Amino acid sequence: MTLRPHIGYRLGQLCVEEVPLDRIASEYGTPTYVYSRAALSEGFQAYADACRGHDALICYAVKANSNLAVLQLLAHQGAGFDIVSGGELERVVAAGGDPAKTIFSGVGKSESEMRLALTRGIGCFNVESLSELRRLDAVARDLGQIAPVSLRINPDVDPMTHPYISTGLKETKFGIPFDQALPAFREAVRYPHLRILGIDCHIGSQLLNDAPLIEALDLLTGLVDQLQSEQIAIEHLDLGGGLGIAYREEQTVPIGGFVGQVLERVGRWRAEKYGGQPIRVLFEPGRSVVGNAGLLLTRVEYLKPGTPKNYAIVDAAMNDLLRPALYDAWHDVVPFREASAGALPWEIVGPICESGDWLARARELALSEGDLIAFLSAGAYAMSMASNYNSRPRAAEIIIDGASMHRIRERESIESLYSSESLLPLSR
Ligand code: LLP
């Protein structure tokens, strides 16, 4: 039975590609993140195929899963990258990604991050405020460079998703308000050390309806027309990321259909108003590329039935997978052995000393102590949001490629957790 692309049961055992997960547990221990190479590649390829023959660039949002091997795989398939920190930029470079195909998003870029990005030859800065424009111009002048810039516009459309991951409403901290966009561009073109390349937006994440994205696209194309009438030429239009995945059985927007629709709409607009002169289109997908390509493998440590709820305490916790605690998010939980009788509703929780440390609620499963279970749809915003809370070393990460297992991150050692700390020189 297939649960996710390249993840499912074979001979009654849960496998990623051809590898049964008890092999991962005995070789690398638990908790461990496990990804399918084929599913990662196909996640990106869905975008790449839809863009073929168009002037388009897919900039994978590194924050979704920033493991070097994941970035390497996507770079190898031609991906550009969307980053939000100097740290993410250095990961892209270390993984063999091309800084010229990388765009730098985020509301709070520091001066040193700007400097680093300019030195590395970043493709574009997505600038979110007038103050940031000023700072970037000064940093570029200092380095004797011209910084490539796009302005991130907040189009004030409701993406209809969780409030924490809604970014395109005017109440949020993101972007330049739509009604201040034209004055912002007029100001931007006056800076001698900036070169205005593009316009962008990102309205939210885990979107299950593409209408708000199309609405945002139309608002941006309208702005490009107004800018054109003032001789401000825009070379690229970046629609951000945001397409959702099925965590349960949600209807999702098909990637190919969506990208095709955007490119066709842009093509028609360019044909009507610009004599067919193309404009480059950028996408910044994260979750829809990697989200369903991974799972978190964990072992049941203790069962506390009827207390009054049934608690299953596993060796993964909110520090490994924060999404349930932070967003009330749902991740399907499946056992390593396919069929077993005697299911009860279990609260699946971790060892951390907080009642907020839960991973799943009231799941009908037949569990015994020592069992392996997996949290599905854990390829995005899972390991990348892990912490060391309670001084817990972060999990290992493995990529399965057919029948081979590749460890792409060692489990952290306990000593590494405090190796950068120091003791006081106490004399009393
Ligand atoms: N571009 C920008 C500027 C972003 O802020 C984001 C995500 C993306 C692209 C990628 O969006 P995606 O295609 O993955 O939806 N931690 C949350 C998700 C936070 C998303 C933040 N921004 C979660 O676990 O659901």
Side-chain angles (χ1 to χ4, degrees):
M1 186 181 51
T2 302
L3 299 167
R4 298 289 185 273
H6 305 283
I7 298 175
Y9 289 100
R10 293 174 173 226
L11 303 174
Q13 299 187 326
L14 184 61
C15 295
V16 172
E17 301 199 17
E18 291 164 35
V19 177
L21 293 181
D22 59 343
R23 270 187 61 200
I24 304 277
S26 56
E27 196 128 334
Y28 304 103
T30 52
T32 292
Y33 278 99
V34 188
Y35 311 107
S36 153
R37 174 179 173 169
L40 290 167
S41 294
E42 288 167 18
F44 179 79
Q45 207 54 42
Y47 280 93
D49 288 346
C51 287
R52 188 159 306 125
H54 292 269
D55 187 7
L57 181 64
I58 305 143
C59 296
Y60 165 69
V62 171
K63 63 167 82 70
N65 185 325
S66 52
N67 185 287
L68 288 194
V70 172
L71 304 182
Q72 174 199 19
L73 202 60
L74 300 181
H76 188 68
Q77 287 178 253
F81 295 94
D82 167 58
I83 57 154
V84 289
S85 68
E88 288 190 349
L89 175 56
E90 294 302 73
R91 281 182 174 274
V92 167
V93 171
D98 183 357
K101 284 164 70 176
T102 300
I103 52 180
F104 197 161
S105 298
V107 279
K109 300 169 198 80
S110 70
E111 200 179 304
S112 65
E113 287 177 321
M114 289 175 170
R115 213 171 271 282
L116 176 68
L118 283 169
T119 314
R120 291 267 183 256
I122 194 90
C124 194
F125 290 90
N126 287 351
V127 170
E128 300 211 16
S129 66
L130 298 180
S131 304
E132 189 188 334
L133 272 183
R134 268 191 292 279
R135 180 186 281 185
L136 183 57
D137 179 69
V139 174
R141 184 186 54 223
D142 228 38
L143 291 173
Q145 290 194 26
I146 306 285
V149 165
S150 161
L151 294 191
R152 175 171 177 177
I153 305 306
N154 184 326
D156 194 25
V157 298
D158 185 354
M160 298 182 277
T161 185
H162 190 288
Y164 284 13
I165 51 179
S166 265
T167 48
L169 280 171
K170 65 170 183 279
E171 299 77 25
T172 66
K173 67 179 173 182
F174 297 101
I176 294 169
F178 188 78
D179 54 6
Q180 293 166 31
L182 291 176
F185 272 102
R186 287 180 200 126
E187 178 168 337
V189 290
R190 287 203 297 267
Y191 284 106
H193 292 273
L194 303 182
R195 173 164 168 248
I196 305 308
L197 267 188
I199 184 165
D200 69 281
C201 71
H202 170 76
I203 62 170
S205 196
Q206 186 54 14
L207 311 190
L208 295 173
N209 179 345
D210 58 4
L213 284 162
I214 299 298
E215 191 185 335
L217 171 65
D218 289 347
L219 287 166
L220 292 198
T221 58
L223 278 178
V224 173
D225 291 343
Q226 286 176 278
L227 291 167
Q228 179 71 24
S229 71
E230 298 185 22
Q231 273 74 52
I232 301 176
I234 299 297
E235 297 171 34
H236 82 231
L237 190 154
D238 172 357
L239 202 49
L243 288 191
I245 61 168
Y247 284 95
R248 306 179 76 164
E249 270 144 18
E250 301 94 326
Q251 269 313 105
T252 56
V253 176
I255 293 171
F258 169 72
V259 170
Q261 187 191 353
V262 168
L263 294 174
E264 193 201 306
R265 207 172 177 87
V266 168
R268 245 184 295 128
W269 161 60
R270 300 304 289 186
E272 271 167 29
K273 302 216 169 136
Y274 297 82
Q277 184 203 350
I279 187 169
R280 179 165 243 220
V281 179
L282 271 56
F283 297 94
E284 304 171 1
R287 187 187 326 256
S288 51
V289 174
V290 295
N292 268 330
L295 55 77
L296 173 60
L297 182 66
T298 177
R299 197 180 282 284
V300 177
E301 294 273 23
Y302 300 104
L303 295 180
K304 284 174 62 174
T307 56
K309 290 183 174 172
N310 302 314
Y311 283 102
I313 297 145
V314 299
D315 63 7
M318 66 191 284
N319 74 298
D320 299 299
L321 181 63
L322 183 60
R323 303 191 69 258
L326 189 59
Y327 313 114
D328 224 351
W330 174 286
H331 287 263
D332 275 346
V333 183
V334 293
F336 170 63
R337 282 185 205 291
E338 187 170 17
S340 22
L344 289 177
W346 291 100
E347 305 289 301
I348 305 178
V349 301
I352 284 183
C353 304
E354 295 212 24
S355 297
D357 180 25
W358 64 279
L359 298 170
R361 296 198 202 275
R363 301 302 173 88
E364 293 283 336
L365 292 163
L367 294 182
S368 302
E369 293 184 357
D371 280 359
L372 290 171
I373 60 174
F375 289 83
L376 302 184
S377 307
Y381 304 112
M383 184 61 185
S384 63
M385 293 174 74
S387 77
N388 295 120
Y389 188 39
N390 276 209
S391 284
R392 289 170 50 87
R394 280 177 301 170
E397 291 179 288
I398 310 293
I399 285 188
I400 307 292
D401 184 6
S404 328
M405 308 187 274
H406 300 278
R407 188 181 61 194
I408 58 168
R409 180 202 290 260
E410 277 183 42
R411 185 175 310 287
E412 265 174 334
S413 70
I414 288 181
E415 308 75 67
S416 73
L417 300 186
Y418 52 79
S419 61
S420 56
E421 299 173 27
S422 1
L423 298 171
L424 284 173
L426 288 185
S427 54
R428 57 186 164 80

